[in-house]
Amino acid sequence: SIPESQTTFGMGVEGLGFRLIGGLFGQVIYGYVMDFSCSLWSEECGQRKFCWRYDNRKLSLYTFTATFICKFIKLIIYGFLWYFHKKQEMMAKEVTPDQIHKSASTLDGMEMK
């Protein structure tokens, strides 16, 4: 939790972090997917250099699968975050025994009409 005066700055830092992480991992994941669907490599001295031809069916299937898996993981993380946030809200709203005792003692001093 950050002070209210620094909320905008915190949101900017959070957005920068998301863009950096998403930009790095996204490119690595989709680069691997493209390399995995290559059907004809250019080779020099026994090392792969670049892809000459992609298998379009594999590329579309692997791209869809990678996107689906990433979105599914994101959905699971959002579900956990929502659950723990609701749990924390419920715990914050619970009444403690001290609060019950204080409210009962103030009611004892009042007269019922």
Side-chain angles (χ1 to χ4, degrees), residues 1-7:
S1 178
I2 61 173
E4 192 172 330
S5 62
Q6 296 179 350
T7 303

Side-chain angles (χ1 to χ4, degrees), residues 16 46 54 67-68 97 100 106:
L16 177 67
Y54 292 100
T67 303
F68 183 79
I100 294 171
T106 56

